[in-house]
Amino acid sequence: MADRTESSIVIAAPPAEVLEVIADFASYPEWAKEVRQVSVLTTEVDGRADQVEFTLDAGLIKDTYVLAYDWEVAKEGTGVVSWDLVSAEVLKAMTGSYTLTAQGGGQSTELTYRLAVDVKIPMLGMLKRKAERMIVDTALSSLKDRVESRG
């Protein structure tokens, strides 16, 4: 699963505001159109989600899966939020991350999304990369819209 998809977007909000939306898993079904339901299963000592269960309906791929999160972020919201697949029905592997970098004196955020997915059903590498690209691009634009509409 060495191949991955990566894309970046600039969001007109400080990193802490972007991180707040990323960490608000209960609200994902409101802005991430393929996500039907989210449940935080466990939290870390600081209150951040450790393991999160998602129910996904993305047309051909319908799955319920659990991701384990790692929060390497500073107080101002810069850093990396990464995740790895713990369990799933259809997915075989999923590794991803958001990297938040302050721009414009901290008034905006460059958000880079990296994602690698493998499924249990046979799929050509080209089709898998195309699906990853669609997931990444949709997630970035939806997240940008969600953050900027709050301000």
Side-chain angles (χ1 to χ4, degrees):
M1 196 178 76
D3 292 336
R4 71 174 185 199
T5 300
E6 178 178 324
S7 190
S8 297
I9 197 167
V10 175
I11 299 174
E17 290 181 23
V18 177
L19 185 63
E20 187 178 309
V21 171
I22 291 170
D24 183 10
F25 292 104
S27 295
Y28 276 40
E30 297 172 17
W31 60 268
K33 67 179 182 174
E34 292 88 9
V35 176
R36 298 294 176 243
Q37 186 174 341
V38 180
S39 300
V40 175
L41 303 178
T42 60
T43 57
E44 296 179 353
V45 191
D46 63 5
R48 292 193 196 275
D50 180 45
Q51 290 197 1
V52 182
E53 182 181 72
F54 294 83
T55 300
L56 179 77
D57 184 351
L60 293 175
I61 298 179
K62 294 175 177 34
D63 202 0
T64 296
Y65 57 92
V66 175
L67 299 178
Y69 280 82
D70 187 25
W71 303 84
E72 296 179 25
V73 291
K75 191 180 210 179
E76 72 275 3
T78 59
V80 179
V81 177
S82 57
W83 57 89
D84 286 298
L85 185 67
V86 174
S87 64
E89 296 168 15
V90 175
L91 296 171
K92 183 164 54 172
M94 179 191 293
T95 301
S97 67
Y98 286 121
T99 301
L100 298 94
T101 308
Q103 290 194 329
Q107 296 307 304
S108 63
T109 305
E110 179 181 36
L111 183 66
T112 301
Y113 186 5
R114 294 174 182 89
L115 182 67
V117 176
D118 201 1
V119 292
K120 293 177 183 173
I121 55 175
M123 184 181 283
L124 292 174
M126 181 179 69
L127 291 176
K128 190 168 32 171
R129 293 288 91 70
K130 186 175 180 178
E132 282 178 1
R133 170 63 61 192
M134 185 187 75
I135 292 167
V136 167
D137 290 347
T138 301
L140 283 175
S141 64
S142 297
L143 182 56
K144 175 182 172 74
D145 291 345
R146 176 71 174 194
V147 173
E148 291 179 353
S149 70
R150 297 174 74 206

